[in-house]
Amino acid sequence: MKKLGLILAYSVLLLSSSISWSGDRLDKSKMVELLHGIDLRIRSSGDYKALFYLEQREKDKADLVHEGLVYRRDADEKLIILFTKPKTEAGKGYLRIDKNLWYYDPTVGKWERRTDRERIAGTDSRREDFDQSKLAEEYDPEFVGEEKLGNFNVWVLKLTAKPGVDVAYPVVKFWIDKATSNDLKRQDFALSGRLMRTSYVPKWQKLYSESKKADLWYRQEIRIYDEVEKANSTLVIIRSVDLHPLAENMFTKAWLESKSR
């Protein structure tokens, strides 16, 4: 609770609209609608570019700090994570295309295929922390109950990955604010049932999307705590978002390789 108190002390920018169902229990259709609503708020109908800050803390080690850019074309499920700082990491990056995640290291000029369990830049973050949201498509929800999370009244759901879907974690426990329908906390579990990481979202932000004709929302800050290596934590901050169209040929191996030359 001490950890939670510190996190929720940050200002939380929340969505004004909400799904206001009465009753103590959500049925399956309402839970799916709730997850779908999160997916729609985050999804861009056009292109998306974000500047991010990524910090990893580990016991008895110097903090690792990265900066970079995220490029998304949600309609085609394309994603690039390109590191720009520090200098030793500049040009390294990830490319997701045709549902495959590739990692490129310009120091060896080599591409390697990775899974959604990949630790981004060796941190506790995963691809899904930077990408569009597909909760309703990838998970089956089960109602757990209602709780107080700090000052927030929340629904708690258990999400189980659908058969054949490749996700970072097959089981997720999800805390959703009843007043806004924004997710505030999640716990990720291995198939064995072991808790792997806990993350909090103390800040949400939005901007108007011309192509969407509606607001696009994003998790401006994510604080991730490693539940296996207890001293480890990761901070993800999205510093700015640009929704202007990107070059048509961007989402290719050749384009990412050109950024390191």
Side-chain angles (χ1 to χ4, degrees):
M1 290 303 297
K2 290 182 179 179
K3 183 190 297 181
L4 177 60
L6 289 173
I7 292 164
L8 294 181
Y10 288 85
S11 60
V12 183
L13 301 177
L14 296 172
L15 191 60
S16 58
S17 62
S18 65
I19 301 175
S20 56
W21 295 306
S22 60
D24 295 331
R25 188 175 186 88
L26 303 180
D27 63 24
K28 180 69 174 289
S29 64
K30 290 177 180 178
M31 288 186 287
V32 171
E33 185 179 346
L34 186 60
L35 296 177
H36 188 57
I38 295 171
D39 295 341
L40 287 178
R41 291 199 295 275
I42 293 173
R43 187 168 299 158
S44 173
S45 60
D47 290 336
Y48 171 103
K49 174 184 176 182
L51 174 66
F52 71 87
Y53 171 90
L54 179 62
E55 178 184 282
Q56 176 76 2
R57 293 186 175 183
E58 297 184 10
K59 185 178 180 180
D60 300 326
K61 292 185 179 180
D63 293 350
L64 295 176
V65 175
H66 295 75
E67 291 185 23
L69 295 162
V70 174
Y71 302 94
R72 283 172 25 200
R73 185 163 289 157
D74 291 353
D76 296 333
E77 298 187 14
K78 294 177 179 178
L79 170 76
I80 290 174
I81 302 173
L82 173 65
F83 294 101
T84 57
K85 294 179 181 179
K87 187 175 181 179
T88 55
E89 301 296 306
K92 294 181 181 180
Y94 296 87
L95 169 67
R96 190 184 65 153
I97 188 168
D98 297 328
K99 297 186 178 180
N100 294 312
L101 183 65
W102 299 90
Y103 172 70
Y104 180 66
D105 184 347
T107 61
V108 294
K110 184 179 179 181
W111 287 90
E112 294 180 355
R113 189 174 176 178
R114 302 295 174 88
T115 71
D116 271 2
R117 293 179 293 279
E118 170 78 2
R119 295 164 57 94
I120 300 299
T123 70
D124 288 305
S125 64
R126 301 296 188 271
R127 185 271 308 165
E128 63 189 12
D129 297 319
F130 300 90
D131 207 353
Q132 64 177 298
S133 179
K134 299 172 69 177
L135 292 166
E137 181 179 333
E138 295 177 336
Y139 290 95
D140 282 320
E142 176 185 341
F143 189 72
V144 175
E146 295 178 284
E147 293 181 7
K148 288 284 289 187
L149 184 67
N151 294 324
F152 300 94
N153 295 311
V154 298
W155 286 302
V156 186
L157 308 185
K158 177 184 177 182
L159 309 181
T160 303
K162 295 180 179 180
V165 176
D166 185 20
V167 292
Y169 298 100
V171 179
V172 174
K173 194 174 180 182
F174 214 52
W175 283 256
I176 301 174
D177 181 23
K178 293 174 67 175
T180 66
S181 301
N182 284 329
D183 55 281
L184 301 179
K185 176 184 175 182
R186 66 180 281 168
Q187 289 185 323
D188 298 300
F189 296 84
L191 195 59
S192 65
R194 183 177 187 180
L195 176 60
M196 304 301 291
R197 70 172 199 167
T198 299
S199 57
Y200 299 89
V201 185
K203 291 184 181 180
W204 281 81
Q205 186 57 277
K206 67 175 181 177
L207 70 164
Y208 185 76
S209 167
E210 284 290 345
S211 62
K212 193 175 182 179
K213 301 304 179 185
D215 288 331
L216 180 143
W217 285 79
Y218 59 94
R219 300 176 182 96
Q220 188 179 38
E221 182 177 315
I222 307 173
R223 292 181 174 264
I224 305 166
Y225 296 89
D226 192 325
E227 298 289 0
V228 179
E229 299 292 338
K230 292 287 189 176
N232 296 357
S233 64
T234 300
L235 171 65
V236 181
I237 297 176
I238 303 299
R239 287 183 164 166
S240 64
V241 171
D242 185 344
L243 300 179
H244 288 92
L246 300 170
E248 189 63 32
N249 66 341
M250 272 192 58
F251 296 89
T252 63
K253 289 182 177 181
W255 186 90
L256 189 53
E257 289 173 2
S258 71
K259 297 294 102 179
S260 61
R261 297 185 188 131

